[in-house]
Amino acid sequence: GQQLNQSPQSMFIQEGEDVSMNCTSSSIFNTWLWYKQDPGEGPVLLIALYKAGELTSNGRLTAQFGITRKDSFLNISASIPSDVGIYFCAGRGTGKLIFGQGTTLQVKP
Amino acid sequence: KAGVTQTPRYLIKTRGQQVTLSCSPISGHRSVSWYQQTPGQGLQFLFEYFSETQRNKGNFPGRFSGRQFSNSRSEMNVSTLELGDSALYLCASSLDPWTDTQYFGPGTRLTVL
């Protein structure tokens, strides 16, 4: 079946630094989604990608749909304390939507 | 437009009891998916409903069941609760099963004692 690997598992950075995380799949995906989850809340959709090579921004966040269709990247520029949370990637190939294990981001003021 | 709502937000039950969780999707969304989230296992897919029919089911025992009503609202039920069922249960809605973008509710935190 389809598998999704998300890395890194966790990050501890200084406020103002840029952050990068990625997801890779075992098969070709047609959609990549990136979510952020705050403690005790449900994931909130940040960016949706539907085409290979697509680069989409949402404020300080930028995500890309890899050319091979097997990976996606999320970058956060100039991190601030409220960026703290768990970031999930999700993707769909021929089956149902599947989720990565999440990247826990902590930001030190 | 109101988001996905889930009730109750918090629930405490004891082993052996059963529980019913409710989800109201975004207006106009007809597909509802349920997920179980635990610290060690991440987001695990439970099932997906569309037009009152279960379209997909994850790898969970038969104690976990669900249904969808004609107004697209959905419920999930867990019978004979076990300690390991303690988790955050998330509901997500989308326009239809062919639309990948899912929007999540705040979740129901279930604690089994």
Side-chain angles (χ1 to χ4, degrees):
Chain A
Q2 298 172 108
Q3 292 185 5
L4 203 52
N5 291 311
Q6 184 171 352
S7 65
Q9 241 182 335
S10 62
M11 303 180 76
F12 190 91
I13 63 170
Q14 196 78 32
E15 182 178 359
E17 289 184 351
D18 296 344
V19 172
S20 186
M21 58 193 79
N22 71 86
C23 280
T24 58
S25 65
S26 57
S27 55
I28 290 174
F29 276 14
N30 298 312
T31 301
W32 284 100
L33 307 171
W34 284 92
Y35 291 87
K36 182 197 176 198
Q37 185 176 28
D38 291 327
E41 298 294 328
V44 173
L45 182 67
L46 298 173
I47 293 177
L49 303 161
Y50 302 105
K51 200 164 65 173
E54 182 179 355
L55 185 73
T56 299
S57 293
N58 178 5
R60 293 177 296 106
L61 278 60
T62 301
Q64 183 163 25
F65 193 139
I67 285 291
T68 65
R69 295 170 64 192
K70 289 188 176 183
D71 57 8
S72 179
F73 304 87
L74 175 69
N75 295 314
I76 306 173
S77 62
S79 58
I80 58 178
S82 62
D83 290 334
V84 164
I86 304 176
Y87 292 79
F88 289 97
C89 64
R92 188 200 293 265
T94 56
K96 63 182 184 298
L97 194 68
I98 60 174
F99 287 80
Q101 290 297 305
T103 294
T104 300
L105 177 64
Q106 297 180 67
V107 179
K108 185 177 179 183
Chain B
K1 194 189 261 192
V4 178
T5 58
Q6 291 187 246
T7 57
R9 288 294 309 275
Y10 303 93
L11 209 46
I12 299 175
K13 292 285 187 179
T14 56
R15 276 181 299 175
Q17 287 187 309
Q18 77 162 23
V19 66
T20 299
L21 312 181
S22 180
C23 171
S24 292
I26 291 171
S27 177
H29 284 197
R30 297 183 295 153
S31 182
V32 173
S33 297
W34 288 89
Y35 297 86
Q36 181 195 65
Q37 186 178 32
T38 57
Q41 298 294 320
L43 278 161
Q44 301 292 310
F45 172 76
L46 281 157
F47 20 67
E48 177 189 25
Y49 285 90
F50 174 70
S51 291
E52 303 175 66
T53 302
Q54 187 181 89
R55 283 179 47 86
N56 284 301
K57 190 177 192 305
N59 189 25
F60 279 82
R63 299 185 297 107
F64 291 80
S65 63
R67 58 177 175 168
Q68 186 180 36
F69 302 95
S70 59
N71 61 358
S72 296
R73 190 176 71 84
S74 177
E75 288 181 348
M76 68 162 279
N77 184 77
V78 188
S79 62
T80 320
L81 284 166
E82 300 177 359
L83 295 179
D85 296 333
S86 294
L88 182 66
Y89 290 87
L90 292 161
C91 163
S93 78
S94 60
L95 281 171
D96 51 55
W98 306 279
T99 302
D100 292 329
T101 311
Q102 293 187 1
Y103 297 87
F104 284 85
T108 294
R109 170 71 64 186
L110 171 65
T111 301
V112 182
L113 303 175

